[in-house]
Amino acid sequence: MILPELFSKFIRYYAKAYRIEHEIDLIKNDSSFWSYELIVQYADDAQLAVLKKAFAGENCRINADTRDFIYKAPVREISESPTFELLFGRLESCAAQLPGAGFELQMLTAHKDSEYNPEFSREQKWQWLISSTMLCEFFVIGKVSEEGKAVYDSVFHSCHQSDHNREITEECPIIISRWEDVFREVCKSLCLECSEEILAGVVKPEYQQPVEQRRTFAAGSLEEANEILAVYNLCGIGEQRGIKLEARMVSGSFEAIELADIVFSRRHSNVYQLFGNKVPSVL
């Protein structure tokens, strides 16, 4: 089981890790596309009515035989990152009225290729995602407790660069704990405050924007400093952030969260292997 507060942080990190380690780009808006489908197994007509109200106006389908309520999210450009609120916000808003309901979420992400057509219908775009040779899948299984709380039981992940689909439920809190350690180190080096309130707020967009003020981070070594610069450049934002090196000191107009994502990827991407072995050679 993963608590919503932690899961929210993990989904933010997962979306950024895809762009840093798999897409290797933080500039292009439409270099990848993603979407998801949420299936809720409702218990009775009263719960179905609740779901219809919560998802009113959205693309939904109902299978009365299996009591599946299926929400089909739009296909979005990678620049509109998946968030916990976007994936589970509507479910969370009505969970109190859905005791005992089960749910599954399948999120697909893939690089744009010559087969993609922006004129496709939503279903055609979904089929393109499923059939992509560069597909990554994020799958969540959960239930609503008798107290009306959404419980996120299991998380699975697969990537076309990885050997197999695997469960990452137990890895999620470990990844976030170690990411927060890196974030605290970055904040300390940048002479920034790092309170529990700030750690809780990393999922907010306003915490994730670069700043005009130049800051300096003391990398663990000269090698690490060079690798941080290389990742910034590979992702297309090195010049934009004005990244400069002086020995192991990395300076630039970056936000602490963005730098923590890159430092964490440099140190740990080969450990957790979310996106396979073909990450940049500098990592």
Side-chain angles (χ1 to χ4, degrees):
M1 183 183 76
I2 306 176
L3 295 175
E5 296 80 9
L6 187 145
F7 203 22
S8 181
K9 293 179 183 180
F10 181 80
I11 290 170
R12 186 214 68 84
Y13 166 74
Y14 178 92
K16 185 57 71 73
Y18 174 88
R19 301 201 69 178
I20 292 173
E21 300 169 12
H22 185 82
E23 189 179 55
I24 318 175
D25 184 276
L26 288 167
I27 293 293
K28 297 174 184 175
N29 291 335
D30 64 347
S31 48
S32 289
F33 292 86
W34 66 278
S35 186
Y36 70 95
E37 295 191 353
L38 174 66
I39 301 176
V40 183
Q41 294 91 37
Y42 59 92
D44 50 36
D45 289 345
Q47 289 194 354
L48 176 58
V50 169
L51 289 165
K52 286 182 176 179
K53 182 177 180 180
F55 290 85
E58 300 295 339
N59 182 6
C60 301
R61 184 170 65 85
I62 298 165
N63 186 328
D65 293 334
T66 58
R67 290 186 173 179
D68 284 342
F69 180 91
I70 306 166
Y71 167 59
K72 299 173 175 287
V75 175
R76 294 175 166 89
E77 296 179 354
I78 196 63
S79 57
E80 186 179 358
S81 294
T83 64
F84 179 83
E85 178 62 27
L86 195 57
L87 301 182
F88 296 105
R90 290 185 183 87
L91 177 64
E92 287 276 345
S93 71
C94 64
Q97 302 173 71
L98 301 173
F103 61 87
E104 299 176 359
L105 181 138
Q106 181 186 27
M107 182 174 76
L108 306 178
T109 309
H111 282 296
K112 184 178 182 179
D113 60 23
S114 60
E115 299 297 319
Y116 178 81
N117 186 337
E119 301 303 317
F120 280 164
S121 67
R122 191 273 176 189
E123 287 309 308
Q124 288 172 320
K125 290 179 179 178
W126 181 258
Q127 289 303 314
W128 169 79
L129 281 168
I130 289 176
S131 62
S132 173
T133 59
M134 295 180 285
L135 178 66
C136 294
E137 180 180 9
F138 186 75
F139 193 78
V140 182
I141 299 173
K143 60 181 179 294
V144 180
S145 70
E146 293 303 323
E147 293 73 34
K149 298 290 185 181
V151 180
Y152 304 92
D153 286 322
S154 304
V155 182
F156 300 84
H157 165 74
S158 66
C159 170
H160 73 92
Q161 294 183 163
S162 299
D163 294 333
H164 55 269
N165 180 34
R166 78 177 199 261
E167 183 173 358
I168 58 171
T169 313
E170 294 183 0
E171 290 179 64
C172 290
I174 298 172
I175 289 172
I176 293 307
S177 176
R178 293 190 175 177
W179 183 92
E180 289 182 344
D181 288 342
V182 171
F183 182 70
R184 291 186 184 95
E185 177 188 338
V186 167
C187 286
K188 183 177 180 180
S189 182
L190 300 181
C191 299
L192 297 173
E193 180 186 3
C194 182
S195 63
E196 291 304 312
E197 181 180 0
I198 291 173
L199 280 172
V202 296
V203 296
K204 299 177 182 178
E206 59 267 28
Y207 277 80
Q208 302 172 42
Q209 301 303 313
V211 296
E212 294 183 3
Q213 177 187 356
R214 291 192 65 80
R215 294 166 169 170
T216 300
F217 170 68
S221 64
L222 178 60
E223 178 187 17
E224 180 173 85
N226 283 316
E227 291 174 348
I228 291 169
L229 173 62
V231 174
Y232 266 102
N233 288 336
L234 280 169
C235 290
I237 58 174
E239 183 176 351
Q240 182 181 350
R241 301 290 189 264
I243 306 300
K244 304 292 184 184
L245 299 185
E246 184 174 343
R248 66 184 185 93
M249 308 303 288
V250 184
S251 64
S253 302
F254 40 63
E255 174 51 55
I257 293 170
E258 175 184 271
L259 179 59
D261 288 333
I262 288 176
V263 173
F264 184 89
S265 287
R266 180 265 161 201
R267 294 178 182 175
H268 300 293
S269 64
N270 286 331
V271 175
Y272 296 108
Q273 289 288 314
L274 288 177
F275 297 104
N277 297 313
K278 298 179 183 178
V279 293
S281 60
V282 297
L283 296 182

